[in-house]
Amino acid sequence: MRFALLGTGRISGWFARTCHDSGIAEPAIVYSRSQERGEEFARSHDIAAWSDDLDAILADPEIDAVYVASPIPAHAAQVRQALAAGKHVLCEKSLAVDLAEAEELVEAAKKADRVLLEAVRHIHDSAMETIRAHLPELGRIWSASFEMIQYSSRYDAFRSGTVLNAFNPELGISALADVGIYPLHAAVQLFGAPRRTAAMTLSLPNDFQASATVLLDCTSTVVTCRYSKVTHGVTPSVIEGEDATMTIDKIAEPSEIGLHYRDGRTRTLMSVPARRPGDTMTGELEVFAQLVEAHDVDHRFHAQTLAVQAIVDEITAQAGESAPPVR
Amino acid sequence: MRFALLGTGRISGWFARTCHDSGIAEPAIVYSRSQERGEEFARSHDIAAWSDDLDAILADPEIDAVYVASPIPAHAAQVRQALAAGKHVLCEKSLAVDLAEAEELVEAAKKADRVLLEAVRHIHDSAMETIRAHLPELGRIWSASFEMIQYSSRYDAFRSGTVLNAFNPELGISALADVGIYPLHAAVQLFGAPRRTAAMTLSLPNDFQASATVLLDCTSTVVTCRYSKVTHGVTPSVIEGEDATMTIDKIAEPSEIGLHYRDGRTRTLMSVPARRPGDTMTGELEVFAQLVEAHDVDHRFHAQTLAVQAIVDEITAQAGESAPPVR
């Protein structure tokens, strides 16, 4: 499968490497509005071609699929254009800026008879399968707490008075989009769409939403999602059942997964050296390739995308209802 | 200070031992409706007298104070009666069944010119002072998660079909009253009364509220309180700041408190052998004795009692709004 990569950010580089390593996909060309940035990215990621002409890329019959890794607000237009050109589309999370846009893009893919998949790396990672496979051993599951509490290196600059893009709310960036999305996707993947959402979000003086806690009522299980770009988390994510509790060191890229029984026994389900985000994109690429191979355009992952986007919209609405940020 | 103990439960035994060990208080007499139970309790806890006549106990001028450790629904009548008899009152948590009753009892104490203190052992424990003293080292605090997730030994019987008192909702018992009260008191003690509360409670088929997660918006900090009597928690309580995160092994009776800096350095603030609940009641006894000594009937701990009771009422109201328990 020959991919056109849209975007030259860090995640696009990880995806290029994932393709090279996969044996099933080739990063054939990279698109950038800047020829210079495109060339630099192509050369440093072993990609044969680059271009600033998206129409020409999409008109190329040698290109099978498009990987969209532009800023979130730019996703919709590029996804629509790629689908209209007959390409399959793997689009970085979040697919859309809100639920209405996400629903429109899913419908557009079905009408175009092409595969559209949101690239949510951890739900397609083999570690998620390990987690799911062992849930029955926990007994009835009452609660879970999924965390992604990561102090951003860019926050040092913010505290010194310089607002870098990573903390600029006008670019559609937030702790929710950057890190919160991981615990939310894990919750929906494992426990289904919630029937209620309660969120409390805290913002920086420039209105950047920096930290939040979200409760999801998943009928028989309450899931807490905690995320932040301004503090340093030290506790694992946990799933608590009547017979045992499961711990997951990092919900976005697990390397240690354990079972803790009430009698004190423990059991290691996964233990590998710490993984980087770029090490966990193979699953999503393989799932995408399988969907394309099966020409499964109306697949089950659309429901996951839409359920999480509905939660994101609800969190955003509740943040708007909150008192103004503490200054 | 000579105490009359009202109640012969386990916690009353711990209080008797705390008095004996304190050098400032004496458990002079124990009240029980059953002479037999009173005698047995008195003999096994080195108490000289027992009685089933509460009026006579309260009429005794040799009794300075009353420790109320009856079931929560019985607190109000006994507290009123003791205050009316001119005794100071140390009453086990929760003082009252709802905010209106708590406010009435606080007013009754002020009118009677006697000290009334809710016995909330961990907020008067020296470990809480250790926690508070080191909060400035965390930098701006964005979030905290306080947990008391303790599988009750009585739940094995419930699962086998026998509903013991510990899981009987008709006795005013719940995970909130038994264990949830500890994280809530810690949150209010450290971060103040919340401006919003969001709670999700799960119940057993007999409507016993067994597990819940509560979000508290404490203005500049969001505190998550998680508690359960049906699962086994393995993670510590945490307080997350911009410069460091504090971990507390058990919020109700800390024995390990640590600081974790972003650069990986750690610092131990407290490390002692695991403590039992009965080992942590000295602080509340000392505070009560100081309030009596100072005759401070309008003291600052009333605000803590009322703030937590307001949260409890809100959790109860939100639990009532939830969908019915999953059967």
Side-chain angles (χ1 to χ4, degrees), chain B residues 11 14 72 75 91-99 102 118-124 128 146-150 172-190 194 201 208-214 216 223-229 237 250-253 277 284 303-316:
Chain B
I11 198 165
W14 294 336
I72 293 171
H75 285 181
C91 179
E92 264 308 325
K93 64 199 165 311
S94 294
L95 170 63
V97 296
D98 59 24
L99 183 58
E118 189 181 23
V120 185
R121 58 186 169 83
H122 63 315
I123 70 167
H124 301 294
M128 187 61 78
F146 294 152
E147 305 192 353
M148 192 141 168
I149 296 179
Q150 291 190 341
I173 295 170
S174 67
L176 173 54
D178 278 11
V179 291
I181 204 75
Y182 291 94
L184 294 177
H185 268 288
V188 170
Q189 176 68 195
L190 294 170
T201 300
F208 182 84
Q209 296 182 3
S211 172
T213 307
V214 179
L216 304 176
V223 183
T224 307
C225 296
R226 305 198 313 127
Y227 53 89
S228 166
K229 290 181 71 174
S237 292
K250 290 178 184 293
I251 197 66
E253 50 272 332
E284 69 186 21
Q304 168 89 18
T305 291
L306 298 177
V308 172
Q309 188 63 57
I311 299 170
V312 168
D313 285 14
E314 180 66 26
I315 294 169
T316 304

Side-chain angles (χ1 to χ4, degrees), chain A residues 140 142-145 147 149 151 155-156 159 195-204 210-211 213-217 219-222 224 226 230-236 238 240-243 245 247 260-262 318 322-324 326, chain B residues 140 142-145 147 149 151 155-156 159 195-204 210-211 213-217 219-222 224 226 230-236 238 240-243 245 247 260-262 318 322-324 326:
Chain A
R140 187 227 189 282
W142 288 81
S143 53
S145 179
E147 305 192 352
I149 296 179
Y151 188 96
Y155 190 50
D156 286 331
R159 293 169 81 177
R195 55 185 183 182
R196 277 188 305 156
T197 296
M200 293 189 181
T201 300
L202 293 175
S203 297
L204 289 166
S211 172
T213 307
V214 179
L215 289 190
L216 304 176
D217 175 352
T219 307
S220 61
T221 303
V222 173
T224 307
R226 305 198 313 127
V230 292
T231 51
H232 163 63
V234 300
T235 34
V238 289
E240 287 131 350
E242 293 190 350
D243 297 325
T245 289
T247 54
H260 304 255
Y261 297 94
R262 274 191 285 116
Q318 292 186 20
S322 303
V326 179
Chain B
R140 187 230 189 281
W142 288 81
S143 54
S145 179
E147 305 192 353
I149 296 179
Y151 188 96
Y155 191 50
D156 286 331
R159 293 169 81 177
R195 55 184 184 184
R196 277 188 305 156
T197 296
M200 293 189 181
T201 300
L202 293 175
S203 297
L204 288 167
S211 172
T213 307
V214 179
L215 289 190
L216 304 176
D217 175 352
T219 307
S220 61
T221 303
V222 173
T224 307
R226 305 198 313 127
V230 291
T231 51
H232 163 64
V234 300
T235 34
V238 289
E240 287 131 350
E242 293 189 350
D243 297 325
T245 289
T247 53
H260 304 255
Y261 297 94
R262 274 191 286 116
Q318 292 187 19
S322 303
V326 179

Side-chain angles (χ1 to χ4, degrees), chain B residues 238-273:
Chain B
V238 289
I239 305 172
E240 287 131 350
E242 293 189 350
D243 297 325
T245 289
M246 187 186 292
T247 53
I248 303 148
D249 63 339
K250 290 178 184 293
I251 197 66
E253 50 272 332
S255 64
E256 301 278 344
I257 303 175
L259 284 181
H260 304 255
Y261 297 94
R262 274 191 286 116
D263 62 8
R265 281 179 305 128
T266 62
R267 189 173 147 213
T268 300
L269 302 179
M270 177 182 187
S271 181
V272 301

Side-chain angles (χ1 to χ4, degrees), chain A:
Chain A
M1 183 180 301
R2 290 167 52 84
F3 270 97
L5 275 52
L6 276 50
T8 54
R10 195 167 50 163
I11 197 164
S12 214
W14 295 336
F15 184 73
R17 178 164 63 79
T18 301
C19 286
H20 284 307
D21 293 348
S22 72
I24 60 172
E26 179 194 341
I29 189 167
V30 60
Y31 163 75
S32 173
R33 280 175 304 173
S34 151
Q35 277 280 14
E36 191 184 345
R37 217 167 36 237
E39 177 172 1
E40 187 189 333
F41 184 90
R43 292 195 185 283
S44 62
H45 292 90
D46 200 16
I47 297 173
W50 60 93
S51 168
D52 62 356
D53 184 345
L54 184 55
D55 292 338
I57 293 175
L58 295 177
D60 182 351
E62 297 289 302
I63 296 298
D64 306 300
V66 172
Y67 170 70
V68 177
S70 51
I72 293 171
H75 285 181
Q78 293 182 337
V79 169
R80 277 188 214 109
Q81 192 179 347
L83 289 171
K87 307 303 182 191
H88 301 291
V89 178
L90 178 62
C91 179
E92 264 307 326
K93 64 199 163 313
S94 294
L95 170 63
V97 296
D98 59 25
L99 182 58
E101 191 177 83
E103 286 173 337
E104 182 219 312
L105 295 175
V106 166
E107 286 311 306
K110 292 181 194 170
K111 278 197 192 122
D113 198 31
R114 288 296 177 272
V115 171
L116 168 64
L117 180 69
E118 188 181 24
V120 185
R121 58 185 169 83
H122 64 315
I123 70 167
H124 301 294
D125 181 48
S126 59
M128 187 62 77
E129 199 36 58
T130 300
I131 294 169
R132 189 200 323 280
H134 291 277
L135 289 185
E137 294 167 53
L138 304 188
R140 187 227 189 282
I141 295 170
W142 288 81
S143 53
S145 179
F146 294 153
E147 305 192 352
M148 192 141 168
I149 296 179
Q150 291 190 340
Y151 188 96
S152 166
S153 56
R154 320 286 170 80
Y155 190 50
D156 286 331
F158 186 95
R159 293 169 81 177
S160 304
T162 304
V163 180
L164 299 173
N165 282 350
F167 284 90
N168 186 345
E170 286 162 24
L171 300 178
I173 295 170
S174 67
L176 173 53
D178 278 11
V179 291
I181 204 75
Y182 291 94
L184 294 177
H185 268 288
V188 170
Q189 176 68 195
L190 295 170
F191 302 109
R195 55 185 183 182
R196 277 188 305 156
T197 296
M200 293 189 181
T201 300
L202 293 175
S203 297
L204 289 166
N206 71 339
D207 289 331
F208 182 84
Q209 295 182 4
S211 172
T213 307
V214 179
L215 289 190
L216 304 176
D217 175 352
C218 297
T219 307
S220 61
T221 303
V222 173
V223 184
T224 307
C225 296
R226 305 198 313 127
Y227 53 89
S228 166
K229 290 182 71 174
V230 292
T231 51
H232 163 63
V234 300
T235 34
S237 292
V238 289
I239 304 173
E240 287 131 350
E242 293 190 350
D243 297 325
T245 289
M246 187 185 292
T247 54
I248 303 148
D249 63 339
K250 289 178 184 293
I251 197 65
E253 50 271 332
S255 64
E256 301 278 344
I257 303 175
L259 284 181
H260 304 255
Y261 297 94
R262 274 191 285 116
D263 63 8
R265 281 179 305 128
T266 62
R267 188 172 148 213
T268 300
L269 301 179
M270 177 182 187
S271 181
V272 300
R275 300 193 298 162
R276 293 160 303 178
D279 298 337
T280 60
M281 297 171 78
T282 304
E284 69 187 21
L285 175 59
E286 289 175 352
V287 166
F288 181 71
Q290 287 158 12
L291 293 172
V292 169
E293 174 74 21
H295 204 84
D296 186 359
V297 302
D298 193 10
H299 56 74
R300 64 195 173 94
F301 301 107
H302 287 322
Q304 169 89 18
T305 291
L306 298 177
V308 172
Q309 187 63 57
I311 299 170
V312 168
D313 285 14
E314 181 65 25
I315 294 169
T316 304
Q318 292 186 20
E321 291 162 13
S322 303
V326 179
R327 284 159 206 277

